[in-house]
């Protein structure tokens, strides 16, 4: 072992220093939330649940880590793509060295969790991997919910042929094993056909449709306010839609890298049918309630009833499913990385890091695979705990 290497105590202490901005923001968030929890609705009620608080802490830890690493280039100690021949498979706490006999501008810096098989810093790659997960999993799940809610509400409320056709299509998609379907959608052969781009063009229009219907139903008696909201939604929505779906942002500010777009579309497509079925089932139950009949008696329109009477009363199960689905998506992203699919090969992806380290486990080199596996475990565990806490509080509500 290198005599200049850090001890495990020193490694832990240095990692705490690197995570200091994250931990400080986490403490501030919890302190303010506890003080004002009675004013924060369902979020505030999470702090009455020990499981919910633990889950929230784990999730916010990785969200804040991705924020500081992606926006301010903090937390990580090295560039996650930089390689050093001398740092290949270096043990945790090894002093950083680039080349023999060359002055090192980073002298004194360490690979806190060691180096991988290409001499890249494992700690920095785990931190950078959190950015990919936080960017893709929650936002793709939001889009999937937009699709599922927009189609599931009218299917359950109206029934008839519309419901029959959509239910058949969702069952058709769900007939395929999720991993297999996900695997097929991101294979290079499918990507080259351009199918993901056309899928993006269809799926990404649903959030815009949802918001237009939402404002129109809520403010149909206030035309001026409705028109302002609709105009803002359409201008911003079409701009974002052109950028992420067609890579045609006229200002050149919004674009999805092709590989990220493929993964994003695959997540939305795979999750939308399940969300549709959940929403449809909730609507079939809730539409028989007295308050829905009262709204119909008042003369409210169907979309107003669906969005402002039925949907708020389905929030508990949907919030729980949302948290769990982000966890499933995170595991799916890790699985894709494990098979070498989805993001670019050099991307600091947790799944890809695990498979790179797995090959060295038989040689007792554990520090390459264990950190990304623990990162994935803690994030998914936090999401599951958060879902449990939300379920407890929604049942009391």
């Amino acid at each position: 072992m290198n005599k200049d290497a850090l001890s495990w105590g020193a490694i832990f202490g240095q990692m705490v220093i690197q995570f200091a901005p994250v931990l400080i923001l986490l403490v501030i968030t919890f302190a303010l939330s506890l003080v004002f929890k009675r004013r924060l609705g369902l979020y505030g009620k999470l702090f009455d649940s020990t499981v919910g608080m633990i889950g929230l802490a784990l999730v916010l830890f990785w969200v804040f880590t991705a924020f500081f690493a992606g926006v301010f280039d903090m937390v990580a100690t090295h560039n996650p793509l930089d390689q050093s021949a001398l740092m290949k498979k270096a043990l945790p706490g090894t002093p950083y060295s680039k080349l023999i006999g060359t002055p090192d501008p980073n002298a004194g810096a360490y690979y806190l969790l060691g180096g991988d098989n290409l001499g890249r810093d494992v700690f920095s790659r785990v931190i950078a991997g959190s950015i990919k997960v936080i960017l893709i999993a929650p936002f793709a799940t939001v889009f999937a919910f937009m699709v599922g809610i927009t189609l599931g509400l009218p299917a359950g409320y109206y029934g008839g042929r519309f419901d029959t056709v959509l239910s058949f299509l969702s069952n058709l998609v769900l007939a395929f094993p999720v991993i297999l379907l996900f695997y097929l959608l991101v294979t290079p052969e499918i990507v080259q056909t351009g199918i993901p781009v056309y899928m993006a063009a269809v799926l990404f229009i649903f959030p815009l449709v949802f918001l237009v219907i939402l404002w129109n139903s809520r403010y149909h008696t206030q035309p001026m306010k409705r028109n302002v909201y609709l105009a803002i939604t359409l201008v911003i929505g079409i701009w974002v839609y052109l950028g992420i779906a067609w890579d045609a942002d006229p200002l050149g500010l919004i674009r999805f890298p092709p590989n990220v777009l493929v993964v994003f579309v695959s997540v939305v497509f795979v999750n939308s049918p399940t969300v549709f079925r959940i929403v449809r089932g909730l609507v079939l139950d809730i539409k028989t309630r007295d308050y829905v009949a009262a709204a119909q008696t008042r003369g409210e329109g169907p979309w107003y009833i669906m969005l402002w009477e039925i949907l708020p009363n389905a929030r508990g199960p949907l919030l729980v499913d949302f948290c769990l689905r982000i966890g499933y998506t995170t595991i799916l992203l890790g699985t894709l990385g494990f098979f070498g699919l989805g993001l670019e090969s050099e991307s600091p992806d947790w799944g890809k890091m695990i498979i790179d380290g797995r090959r060295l486990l038989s040689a007792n080199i554990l520090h390459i695979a264990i950190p990304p596996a623990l990162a994935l475990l803690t994030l998914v565990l936090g999401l599951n705990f958060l879902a449990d806490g939300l379920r407890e509080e929604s049942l009391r509500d």
Side-chain angles (χ1 to χ4, degrees), residues 276-331:
F276 164 81
R277 291 189 62 83
I278 293 172
V279 173
R280 174 184 174 274
L282 290 170
V283 173
L284 288 174
D285 174 46
I286 296 175
K287 75 176 183 178
T288 61
R289 306 290 175 84
D290 291 341
Y291 51 81
V292 174
Q296 293 170 337
T297 303
R298 292 197 310 265
E300 303 290 358
W303 276 105
Y304 179 91
I305 294 173
M306 283 184 268
L307 291 171
W308 300 100
E309 297 289 346
I310 295 177
L311 188 59
N313 287 285
R315 67 175 185 176
L318 290 179
L319 284 172
V320 171
D321 182 75
F322 180 78
C323 293
L324 293 175
R325 200 161 297 280
I326 295 177
Y328 299 152
T329 301
T330 303
I331 294 172

Short mmCIF file of all heavy atoms in Angstrom, two decimals, residues 276-331:
data_model
loop_
_atom_site.label_atom_id
_atom_site.label_comp_id
_atom_site.label_asym_id
_atom_site.label_seq_id
_atom_site.Cartn_x
_atom_site.Cartn_y
_atom_site.Cartn_z
N PHE A 276 -51.43 4.97 -17.22
CA PHE A 276 -52.78 5.05 -17.81
C PHE A 276 -53.74 4.11 -17.08
O PHE A 276 -54.86 4.51 -16.72
CB PHE A 276 -52.71 4.70 -19.29
CG PHE A 276 -54.04 4.37 -19.91
CD1 PHE A 276 -54.90 5.37 -20.31
CD2 PHE A 276 -54.45 3.04 -20.06
CE1 PHE A 276 -56.14 5.08 -20.87
CE2 PHE A 276 -55.68 2.73 -20.62
CZ PHE A 276 -56.53 3.75 -21.01
N ARG A 277 -53.32 2.89 -16.85
CA ARG A 277 -54.21 1.92 -16.20
C ARG A 277 -54.50 2.30 -14.75
O ARG A 277 -55.62 2.12 -14.27
CB ARG A 277 -53.60 0.51 -16.28
CG ARG A 277 -53.56 -0.05 -17.69
CD ARG A 277 -53.15 -1.52 -17.67
NE ARG A 277 -54.11 -2.33 -16.93
CZ ARG A 277 -55.24 -2.79 -17.43
NH1 ARG A 277 -55.57 -2.52 -18.69
NH2 ARG A 277 -56.05 -3.53 -16.69
N ILE A 278 -53.51 2.83 -14.06
CA ILE A 278 -53.73 3.26 -12.68
C ILE A 278 -54.73 4.42 -12.63
O ILE A 278 -55.67 4.42 -11.83
CB ILE A 278 -52.40 3.66 -12.02
CG1 ILE A 278 -51.50 2.43 -11.84
CG2 ILE A 278 -52.64 4.33 -10.66
CD1 ILE A 278 -50.10 2.76 -11.38
N VAL A 279 -54.51 5.42 -13.48
CA VAL A 279 -55.41 6.58 -13.52
C VAL A 279 -56.81 6.16 -13.91
O VAL A 279 -57.81 6.58 -13.29
CB VAL A 279 -54.87 7.65 -14.49
CG1 VAL A 279 -55.88 8.79 -14.65
CG2 VAL A 279 -53.54 8.20 -14.00
N ARG A 280 -56.92 5.32 -14.91
CA ARG A 280 -58.24 4.85 -15.37
C ARG A 280 -58.98 4.14 -14.23
O ARG A 280 -60.17 4.37 -14.00
CB ARG A 280 -58.07 3.90 -16.55
CG ARG A 280 -59.35 3.22 -17.02
CD ARG A 280 -59.05 2.23 -18.14
NE ARG A 280 -60.25 1.48 -18.50
CZ ARG A 280 -60.66 0.37 -17.89
NH1 ARG A 280 -59.95 -0.11 -16.87
NH2 ARG A 280 -61.75 -0.26 -18.29
N GLY A 281 -58.27 3.27 -13.50
CA GLY A 281 -58.90 2.55 -12.40
C GLY A 281 -59.35 3.48 -11.29
O GLY A 281 -60.44 3.31 -10.72
N LEU A 282 -58.55 4.50 -10.98
CA LEU A 282 -58.93 5.47 -9.95
C LEU A 282 -60.16 6.27 -10.37
O LEU A 282 -61.06 6.54 -9.56
CB LEU A 282 -57.76 6.40 -9.65
CG LEU A 282 -56.56 5.78 -8.93
CD1 LEU A 282 -55.38 6.74 -8.93
CD2 LEU A 282 -56.93 5.40 -7.51
N VAL A 283 -60.19 6.65 -11.66
CA VAL A 283 -61.33 7.43 -12.15
C VAL A 283 -62.62 6.61 -12.09
O VAL A 283 -63.68 7.11 -11.71
CB VAL A 283 -61.07 7.93 -13.59
CG1 VAL A 283 -62.32 8.59 -14.17
CG2 VAL A 283 -59.91 8.90 -13.60
N LEU A 284 -62.55 5.33 -12.47
CA LEU A 284 -63.74 4.48 -12.42
C LEU A 284 -64.32 4.40 -11.02
O LEU A 284 -65.54 4.31 -10.84
CB LEU A 284 -63.37 3.07 -12.91
CG LEU A 284 -63.12 2.92 -14.41
CD1 LEU A 284 -62.61 1.51 -14.72
CD2 LEU A 284 -64.38 3.21 -15.20
N ASP A 285 -63.44 4.46 -10.01
CA ASP A 285 -63.91 4.42 -8.62
C ASP A 285 -64.42 5.79 -8.17
O ASP A 285 -65.53 5.91 -7.62
CB ASP A 285 -62.78 3.95 -7.72
CG ASP A 285 -63.14 4.01 -6.24
OD1 ASP A 285 -64.26 3.57 -5.89
OD2 ASP A 285 -62.32 4.50 -5.46
N ILE A 286 -63.65 6.84 -8.42
CA ILE A 286 -63.97 8.17 -7.87
C ILE A 286 -65.17 8.81 -8.55
O ILE A 286 -65.91 9.57 -7.91
CB ILE A 286 -62.72 9.07 -7.96
CG1 ILE A 286 -61.60 8.51 -7.08
CG2 ILE A 286 -63.05 10.50 -7.55
CD1 ILE A 286 -60.30 9.27 -7.20
N LYS A 287 -65.39 8.53 -9.83
CA LYS A 287 -66.48 9.21 -10.54
C LYS A 287 -67.86 8.85 -10.00
O LYS A 287 -68.85 9.51 -10.33
CB LYS A 287 -66.41 8.91 -12.03
CG LYS A 287 -66.86 7.52 -12.44
CD LYS A 287 -66.84 7.38 -13.95
CE LYS A 287 -67.36 6.02 -14.42
NZ LYS A 287 -67.38 5.90 -15.89
N THR A 288 -67.96 7.83 -9.15
CA THR A 288 -69.25 7.47 -8.55
C THR A 288 -69.48 8.19 -7.22
O THR A 288 -70.54 8.01 -6.61
CB THR A 288 -69.31 5.95 -8.32
OG1 THR A 288 -68.26 5.56 -7.40
CG2 THR A 288 -69.13 5.19 -9.62
N ARG A 289 -68.53 9.01 -6.76
CA ARG A 289 -68.65 9.68 -5.47
C ARG A 289 -69.67 10.82 -5.54
O ARG A 289 -69.94 11.38 -6.60
CB ARG A 289 -67.30 10.21 -5.01
CG ARG A 289 -66.18 9.16 -4.97
CD ARG A 289 -66.39 8.15 -3.86
NE ARG A 289 -65.40 7.08 -3.89
CZ ARG A 289 -64.18 7.16 -3.34
NH1 ARG A 289 -63.81 8.27 -2.73
NH2 ARG A 289 -63.36 6.14 -3.41
N ASP A 290 -70.14 11.21 -4.37
CA ASP A 290 -71.18 12.25 -4.29
C ASP A 290 -70.68 13.61 -4.76
O ASP A 290 -71.44 14.37 -5.38
CB ASP A 290 -71.69 12.35 -2.84
CG ASP A 290 -72.48 11.13 -2.41
OD1 ASP A 290 -72.94 10.39 -3.31
OD2 ASP A 290 -72.63 10.90 -1.19
N TYR A 291 -69.42 13.94 -4.44
CA TYR A 291 -68.94 15.27 -4.83
C TYR A 291 -68.82 15.41 -6.35
O TYR A 291 -68.90 16.51 -6.88
CB TYR A 291 -67.62 15.62 -4.13
CG TYR A 291 -66.53 14.59 -4.25
CD1 TYR A 291 -65.73 14.49 -5.38
CD2 TYR A 291 -66.28 13.70 -3.21
CE1 TYR A 291 -64.73 13.56 -5.48
CE2 TYR A 291 -65.27 12.77 -3.28
CZ TYR A 291 -64.49 12.70 -4.42
OH TYR A 291 -63.49 11.77 -4.52
N VAL A 292 -68.60 14.28 -7.05
CA VAL A 292 -68.60 14.33 -8.51
C VAL A 292 -70.02 14.58 -9.03
O VAL A 292 -70.23 15.38 -9.94
CB VAL A 292 -68.01 13.03 -9.09
CG1 VAL A 292 -68.14 13.01 -10.62
CG2 VAL A 292 -66.56 12.86 -8.68
N ALA A 293 -70.99 13.89 -8.43
CA ALA A 293 -72.39 14.10 -8.81
C ALA A 293 -72.81 15.54 -8.54
O ALA A 293 -73.55 16.16 -9.32
CB ALA A 293 -73.29 13.13 -8.06
N ALA A 294 -72.30 16.12 -7.42
CA ALA A 294 -72.63 17.50 -7.10
C ALA A 294 -72.07 18.46 -8.15
O ALA A 294 -72.73 19.43 -8.55
CB ALA A 294 -72.09 17.85 -5.71
N ALA A 295 -70.84 18.20 -8.60
CA ALA A 295 -70.24 19.05 -9.63
C ALA A 295 -71.00 18.93 -10.95
O ALA A 295 -71.18 19.93 -11.66
CB ALA A 295 -68.77 18.65 -9.84
N GLN A 296 -71.45 17.73 -11.28
CA GLN A 296 -72.26 17.56 -12.49
C GLN A 296 -73.58 18.31 -12.37
O GLN A 296 -74.06 18.91 -13.34
CB GLN A 296 -72.51 16.06 -12.73
CG GLN A 296 -71.26 15.29 -13.10
CD GLN A 296 -71.48 13.79 -13.09
OE1 GLN A 296 -72.39 13.28 -12.43
NE2 GLN A 296 -70.62 13.06 -13.81
N THR A 297 -74.16 18.30 -11.17
CA THR A 297 -75.42 19.01 -10.95
C THR A 297 -75.23 20.53 -11.09
O THR A 297 -76.12 21.23 -11.58
CB THR A 297 -75.96 18.69 -9.54
OG1 THR A 297 -76.13 17.27 -9.42
CG2 THR A 297 -77.30 19.37 -9.31
N ARG A 298 -74.05 21.02 -10.68
CA ARG A 298 -73.77 22.45 -10.81
C ARG A 298 -73.57 22.86 -12.25
O ARG A 298 -73.51 24.04 -12.57
CB ARG A 298 -72.48 22.82 -10.03
CG ARG A 298 -72.59 22.71 -8.53
CD ARG A 298 -71.44 23.49 -7.87
NE ARG A 298 -70.14 23.13 -8.42
CZ ARG A 298 -69.33 22.21 -7.90
NH1 ARG A 298 -69.75 21.50 -6.84
NH2 ARG A 298 -68.16 21.98 -8.43
N GLY A 299 -73.43 21.88 -13.14
CA GLY A 299 -73.25 22.19 -14.54
C GLY A 299 -71.80 22.31 -14.98
O GLY A 299 -71.51 22.86 -16.05
N GLU A 300 -70.87 21.81 -14.16
CA GLU A 300 -69.45 21.86 -14.52
C GLU A 300 -69.19 20.95 -15.72
O GLU A 300 -69.82 19.90 -15.88
CB GLU A 300 -68.58 21.42 -13.34
CG GLU A 300 -68.78 22.22 -12.07
CD GLU A 300 -68.25 23.64 -12.17
OE1 GLU A 300 -67.69 24.00 -13.24
OE2 GLU A 300 -68.39 24.39 -11.20
N GLY A 301 -68.21 21.34 -16.56
CA GLY A 301 -67.86 20.56 -17.73
C GLY A 301 -67.11 19.30 -17.37
O GLY A 301 -66.55 19.18 -16.27
N PRO A 302 -67.05 18.33 -18.28
CA PRO A 302 -66.37 17.05 -17.99
C PRO A 302 -64.90 17.21 -17.61
O PRO A 302 -64.43 16.57 -16.67
CB PRO A 302 -66.53 16.27 -19.30
CG PRO A 302 -67.73 16.87 -19.96
CD PRO A 302 -67.71 18.32 -19.59
N TRP A 303 -64.17 18.07 -18.34
CA TRP A 303 -62.74 18.21 -18.05
C TRP A 303 -62.51 18.93 -16.73
O TRP A 303 -61.54 18.65 -16.03
CB TRP A 303 -62.03 18.94 -19.19
CG TRP A 303 -61.65 18.01 -20.29
CD1 TRP A 303 -62.24 17.88 -21.51
CD2 TRP A 303 -60.60 17.02 -20.25
NE1 TRP A 303 -61.63 16.90 -22.25
CE2 TRP A 303 -60.62 16.35 -21.51
CE3 TRP A 303 -59.66 16.64 -19.31
CZ2 TRP A 303 -59.73 15.33 -21.81
CZ3 TRP A 303 -58.76 15.62 -19.60
CH2 TRP A 303 -58.80 14.98 -20.85
N TYR A 304 -63.39 19.86 -16.38
CA TYR A 304 -63.27 20.49 -15.07
C TYR A 304 -63.45 19.44 -13.97
O TYR A 304 -62.69 19.41 -13.00
CB TYR A 304 -64.33 21.59 -14.91
CG TYR A 304 -64.27 22.27 -13.56
CD1 TYR A 304 -63.49 23.41 -13.37
CD2 TYR A 304 -64.97 21.77 -12.46
CE1 TYR A 304 -63.41 24.04 -12.13
CE2 TYR A 304 -64.89 22.38 -11.21
CZ TYR A 304 -64.11 23.51 -11.06
OH TYR A 304 -64.03 24.12 -9.82
N ILE A 305 -64.43 18.58 -14.14
CA ILE A 305 -64.68 17.53 -13.14
C ILE A 305 -63.50 16.57 -13.05
O ILE A 305 -63.06 16.19 -11.95
CB ILE A 305 -65.98 16.77 -13.48
CG1 ILE A 305 -67.19 17.71 -13.36
CG2 ILE A 305 -66.15 15.56 -12.58
CD1 ILE A 305 -68.49 17.10 -13.84
N MET A 306 -62.96 16.20 -14.21
CA MET A 306 -61.85 15.25 -14.22
C MET A 306 -60.60 15.84 -13.57
O MET A 306 -59.91 15.16 -12.79
CB MET A 306 -61.54 14.83 -15.65
CG MET A 306 -62.50 13.82 -16.24
SD MET A 306 -61.99 13.28 -17.89
CE MET A 306 -62.86 14.43 -18.93
N LEU A 307 -60.29 17.10 -13.89
CA LEU A 307 -59.04 17.71 -13.44
C LEU A 307 -59.12 18.34 -12.07
O LEU A 307 -58.10 18.41 -11.35
CB LEU A 307 -58.58 18.77 -14.46
CG LEU A 307 -58.12 18.23 -15.82
CD1 LEU A 307 -57.92 19.37 -16.81
CD2 LEU A 307 -56.83 17.44 -15.67
N TRP A 308 -60.29 18.82 -11.67
CA TRP A 308 -60.39 19.58 -10.43
C TRP A 308 -61.25 18.92 -9.35
O TRP A 308 -61.32 19.41 -8.22
CB TRP A 308 -60.92 20.99 -10.71
CG TRP A 308 -60.01 21.72 -11.63
CD1 TRP A 308 -60.17 21.91 -12.98
CD2 TRP A 308 -58.75 22.34 -11.31
NE1 TRP A 308 -59.12 22.60 -13.52
CE2 TRP A 308 -58.23 22.89 -12.52
CE3 TRP A 308 -58.04 22.49 -10.13
CZ2 TRP A 308 -57.02 23.57 -12.55
CZ3 TRP A 308 -56.82 23.17 -10.17
CH2 TRP A 308 -56.33 23.70 -11.37
N GLU A 309 -61.91 17.84 -9.70
CA GLU A 309 -62.68 17.09 -8.71
C GLU A 309 -62.12 15.68 -8.52
O GLU A 309 -61.91 15.22 -7.40
CB GLU A 309 -64.16 16.99 -9.13
CG GLU A 309 -64.88 18.32 -9.22
CD GLU A 309 -65.13 18.95 -7.86
OE1 GLU A 309 -65.00 18.24 -6.83
OE2 GLU A 309 -65.46 20.14 -7.80
N ILE A 310 -61.85 15.00 -9.63
CA ILE A 310 -61.39 13.61 -9.56
C ILE A 310 -59.89 13.52 -9.31
O ILE A 310 -59.43 12.81 -8.40
CB ILE A 310 -61.77 12.85 -10.84
CG1 ILE A 310 -63.30 12.74 -10.96
CG2 ILE A 310 -61.14 11.46 -10.86
CD1 ILE A 310 -63.77 12.08 -12.23
N LEU A 311 -59.09 14.23 -10.11
CA LEU A 311 -57.63 14.11 -10.02
C LEU A 311 -57.08 14.48 -8.64
O LEU A 311 -56.23 13.75 -8.11
CB LEU A 311 -56.97 14.96 -11.11
CG LEU A 311 -55.46 14.78 -11.28
CD1 LEU A 311 -55.11 13.33 -11.60
CD2 LEU A 311 -54.94 15.71 -12.38
N PRO A 312 -57.50 15.59 -8.00
CA PRO A 312 -56.97 15.89 -6.66
C PRO A 312 -57.27 14.80 -5.64
O PRO A 312 -56.48 14.58 -4.71
CB PRO A 312 -57.68 17.21 -6.29
CG PRO A 312 -58.04 17.83 -7.60
CD PRO A 312 -58.37 16.68 -8.51
N ASN A 313 -58.38 14.11 -5.80
CA ASN A 313 -58.73 13.06 -4.86
C ASN A 313 -58.03 11.73 -5.18
O ASN A 313 -58.21 10.75 -4.44
CB ASN A 313 -60.25 12.86 -4.84
CG ASN A 313 -60.97 13.99 -4.14
OD1 ASN A 313 -60.96 14.08 -2.93
ND2 ASN A 313 -61.56 14.89 -4.93
N ALA A 314 -57.27 11.71 -6.26
CA ALA A 314 -56.47 10.53 -6.60
C ALA A 314 -54.99 10.78 -6.34
O ALA A 314 -54.15 9.95 -6.69
CB ALA A 314 -56.68 10.17 -8.08
N ARG A 315 -54.66 11.91 -5.70
CA ARG A 315 -53.26 12.30 -5.57
C ARG A 315 -52.46 11.32 -4.72
O ARG A 315 -51.27 11.08 -5.01
CB ARG A 315 -53.16 13.69 -4.96
CG ARG A 315 -53.62 13.78 -3.52
CD ARG A 315 -53.38 15.15 -2.92
NE ARG A 315 -53.72 15.14 -1.50
CZ ARG A 315 -53.55 16.18 -0.70
NH1 ARG A 315 -53.07 17.29 -1.19
NH2 ARG A 315 -53.88 16.09 0.59
N GLY A 316 -53.07 10.75 -3.66
CA GLY A 316 -52.32 9.85 -2.78
C GLY A 316 -51.71 8.67 -3.51
O GLY A 316 -50.48 8.50 -3.53
N PRO A 317 -52.53 7.83 -4.15
CA PRO A 317 -51.97 6.70 -4.90
C PRO A 317 -51.02 7.13 -6.02
O PRO A 317 -50.02 6.45 -6.28
CB PRO A 317 -53.22 6.00 -5.47
CG PRO A 317 -54.33 6.42 -4.57
CD PRO A 317 -54.00 7.80 -4.12
N LEU A 318 -51.32 8.25 -6.68
CA LEU A 318 -50.48 8.70 -7.79
C LEU A 318 -49.12 9.18 -7.29
O LEU A 318 -48.10 8.91 -7.94
CB LEU A 318 -51.18 9.81 -8.58
CG LEU A 318 -52.40 9.37 -9.39
CD1 LEU A 318 -53.01 10.57 -10.11
CD2 LEU A 318 -52.03 8.29 -10.40
N LEU A 319 -49.08 9.88 -6.17
CA LEU A 319 -47.80 10.32 -5.62
C LEU A 319 -46.94 9.14 -5.19
O LEU A 319 -45.73 9.11 -5.41
CB LEU A 319 -48.03 11.26 -4.43
CG LEU A 319 -48.47 12.68 -4.75
CD1 LEU A 319 -48.84 13.43 -3.49
CD2 LEU A 319 -47.37 13.43 -5.50
N VAL A 320 -47.57 8.16 -4.57
CA VAL A 320 -46.85 6.96 -4.17
C VAL A 320 -46.28 6.25 -5.40
O VAL A 320 -45.10 5.87 -5.44
CB VAL A 320 -47.76 6.01 -3.37
CG1 VAL A 320 -47.08 4.66 -3.14
CG2 VAL A 320 -48.14 6.63 -2.03
N ASP A 321 -47.12 6.09 -6.41
CA ASP A 321 -46.65 5.42 -7.63
C ASP A 321 -45.56 6.23 -8.32
O ASP A 321 -44.62 5.66 -8.88
CB ASP A 321 -47.83 5.21 -8.59
CG ASP A 321 -47.42 4.47 -9.84
OD1 ASP A 321 -47.22 3.24 -9.76
OD2 ASP A 321 -47.28 5.10 -10.90
N PHE A 322 -45.67 7.56 -8.26
CA PHE A 322 -44.66 8.42 -8.88
C PHE A 322 -43.29 8.17 -8.26
O PHE A 322 -42.29 8.01 -8.97
CB PHE A 322 -45.06 9.88 -8.72
CG PHE A 322 -44.10 10.86 -9.32
CD1 PHE A 322 -44.07 11.08 -10.69
CD2 PHE A 322 -43.20 11.55 -8.52
CE1 PHE A 322 -43.17 11.97 -11.25
CE2 PHE A 322 -42.31 12.45 -9.07
CZ PHE A 322 -42.29 12.66 -10.44
N CYS A 323 -43.23 8.14 -6.94
CA CYS A 323 -41.95 7.89 -6.26
C CYS A 323 -41.40 6.51 -6.58
O CYS A 323 -40.21 6.34 -6.88
CB CYS A 323 -42.12 8.05 -4.76
SG CYS A 323 -42.48 9.73 -4.23
N LEU A 324 -42.27 5.51 -6.52
CA LEU A 324 -41.82 4.15 -6.83
C LEU A 324 -41.37 4.04 -8.28
O LEU A 324 -40.39 3.34 -8.58
CB LEU A 324 -42.96 3.16 -6.56
CG LEU A 324 -43.36 2.98 -5.09
CD1 LEU A 324 -44.57 2.06 -4.99
CD2 LEU A 324 -42.20 2.41 -4.28
N ARG A 325 -42.07 4.74 -9.17
CA ARG A 325 -41.73 4.63 -10.60
C ARG A 325 -40.38 5.29 -10.89
O ARG A 325 -39.65 4.83 -11.77
CB ARG A 325 -42.84 5.26 -11.43
CG ARG A 325 -42.84 4.80 -12.90
CD ARG A 325 -44.18 5.08 -13.54
NE ARG A 325 -45.23 4.32 -12.87
CZ ARG A 325 -45.47 3.03 -13.09
NH1 ARG A 325 -44.72 2.35 -13.94
NH2 ARG A 325 -46.45 2.42 -12.45
N ILE A 326 -40.06 6.37 -10.18
CA ILE A 326 -38.72 6.94 -10.35
C ILE A 326 -37.67 5.92 -9.93
O ILE A 326 -36.62 5.78 -10.56
CB ILE A 326 -38.58 8.23 -9.52
CG1 ILE A 326 -39.52 9.31 -10.05
CG2 ILE A 326 -37.14 8.75 -9.57
CD1 ILE A 326 -39.49 10.59 -9.23
N GLY A 327 -37.96 5.19 -8.85
CA GLY A 327 -37.03 4.14 -8.41
C GLY A 327 -36.87 3.05 -9.45
O GLY A 327 -35.75 2.62 -9.75
N TYR A 328 -38.00 2.61 -10.04
CA TYR A 328 -37.92 1.60 -11.09
C TYR A 328 -37.12 2.12 -12.28
O TYR A 328 -36.31 1.38 -12.88
CB TYR A 328 -39.33 1.21 -11.56
CG TYR A 328 -40.22 0.62 -10.50
CD1 TYR A 328 -41.60 0.76 -10.56
CD2 TYR A 328 -39.69 -0.07 -9.41
CE1 TYR A 328 -42.44 0.22 -9.58
CE2 TYR A 328 -40.51 -0.60 -8.43
CZ TYR A 328 -41.88 -0.44 -8.52
OH TYR A 328 -42.71 -0.96 -7.55
N THR A 329 -37.35 3.38 -12.62
CA THR A 329 -36.65 3.97 -13.76
C THR A 329 -35.16 4.05 -13.48
O THR A 329 -34.33 3.79 -14.37
CB THR A 329 -37.21 5.37 -14.05
OG1 THR A 329 -38.60 5.28 -14.34
CG2 THR A 329 -36.50 5.99 -15.24
N THR A 330 -34.80 4.40 -12.26
CA THR A 330 -33.39 4.45 -11.89
C THR A 330 -32.73 3.08 -12.04
O THR A 330 -31.61 2.96 -12.56
CB THR A 330 -33.24 4.93 -10.43
OG1 THR A 330 -33.87 6.21 -10.29
CG2 THR A 330 -31.78 5.05 -10.04
N ILE A 331 -33.45 2.05 -11.62
CA ILE A 331 -32.94 0.68 -11.78
C ILE A 331 -32.83 0.32 -13.26
O ILE A 331 -31.85 -0.31 -13.70
CB ILE A 331 -33.84 -0.32 -11.04
CG1 ILE A 331 -33.77 -0.08 -9.53
CG2 ILE A 331 -33.44 -1.76 -11.35
CD1 ILE A 331 -34.76 -0.89 -8.72
#
